[in-house]
């Protein structure tokens, strides 16, 4: 009886099926979290600033290069902007702290931004103009 030959014929195998499942679940988790982490779904090229302009974002108004206005992600004509902002701001418990954040493309004329600021003043909300970080590319 040759017992040594039987021991030498064993092959070590590693089952990687469970590892693949875990890696796939982690990949899905990070993809979903990365899309939820950015609330600004509308992609805009923001002007750069040296200071940090973070504020409590009550309502976000975006203006793209086609001069289209968005409240959150809903497209709104400028004439209906005030009517769209009032219900969005009324969700805030204290209207005193209501803030409108303006995300405007670099190519948008300043008069469009000023018109949004005038609407915010009429409503009684504070305004913050969003800018990009100067170290970021874009």
């Amino acid at each position: 009886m040759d017992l040594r030959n039987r021991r030498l014929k064993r092959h070590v195998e590693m089952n990687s099926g469970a590892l693949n499942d875990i890696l796939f679940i982690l990949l899905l988790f990070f993809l979903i979290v990365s899309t939820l982490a950015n609330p600004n779904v509308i992609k805009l090229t923001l002007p750069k600033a040296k200071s940090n302009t973070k504020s409590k974002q009550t309502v976000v108004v975006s203006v793209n290069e086609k001069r289209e206005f968005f409240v959150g992600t809903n497209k709104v004509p400028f004439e209906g902007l005030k009517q769209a902002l009032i219900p969005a701001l009324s969700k805030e418990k204290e209207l005193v702290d209501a803030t409108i954040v303006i995300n405007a493309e670099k190519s948008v004329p300043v008069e469009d931004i000023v018109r949004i600021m005038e609407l915010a003043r009429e409503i009684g909300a504070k305004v913050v103009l969003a800018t990009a970080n100067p170290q970021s590319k874009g």
Side-chain angles (χ1 to χ4, degrees):
M1 235 169 133
D2 191 14
L3 295 176
R4 285 188 305 175
N5 286 340
R6 232 189 319 174
R7 286 186 202 149
L8 295 175
K9 290 182 182 180
R10 286 188 183 172
H11 297 284
V12 179
E13 294 181 24
M14 182 176 162
N15 188 1
S16 64
L19 181 64
N20 291 339
D21 291 344
I22 292 171
L23 289 175
F24 180 72
I25 290 171
L26 283 173
L27 176 69
L28 283 178
F29 171 77
F30 286 115
L31 284 174
I32 292 170
V33 169
S34 67
T35 58
L36 295 177
N38 188 1
N40 300 325
V41 178
I42 303 164
K43 297 294 181 193
L44 301 173
T45 306
L46 299 175
K48 298 190 184 313
K50 292 181 182 176
S51 64
N52 193 358
T53 58
K54 289 188 179 176
S55 175
K56 181 181 174 186
Q57 293 190 7
T58 304
V59 179
V60 178
V61 177
S62 302
V63 185
N64 63 11
E65 67 276 355
K66 298 175 188 171
R67 297 176 79 175
E68 298 171 328
F69 297 90
F70 296 87
V71 175
T73 56
N74 302 326
K75 186 177 176 181
V76 178
F78 182 77
E79 295 76 27
L81 193 60
K82 187 174 183 179
Q83 289 77 20
L85 286 174
I86 291 173
L89 289 172
S90 66
K91 293 177 186 175
E92 185 67 26
K93 293 178 184 175
E94 297 178 18
L95 197 59
V96 177
D97 290 338
T99 304
I100 297 173
V101 179
I102 301 174
N103 282 334
E105 188 82 28
K106 280 197 281 191
S107 60
V108 172
V110 175
E111 58 257 7
D112 287 347
I113 298 170
V114 171
R115 291 185 342 182
I116 297 171
M117 291 175 150
E118 288 173 351
L119 277 177
R121 184 179 44 85
E122 290 174 14
I123 297 171
K126 298 176 186 175
V127 178
V128 175
L129 181 61
T131 60
N133 190 349
Q135 284 83 21
S136 66
K137 295 181 181 179

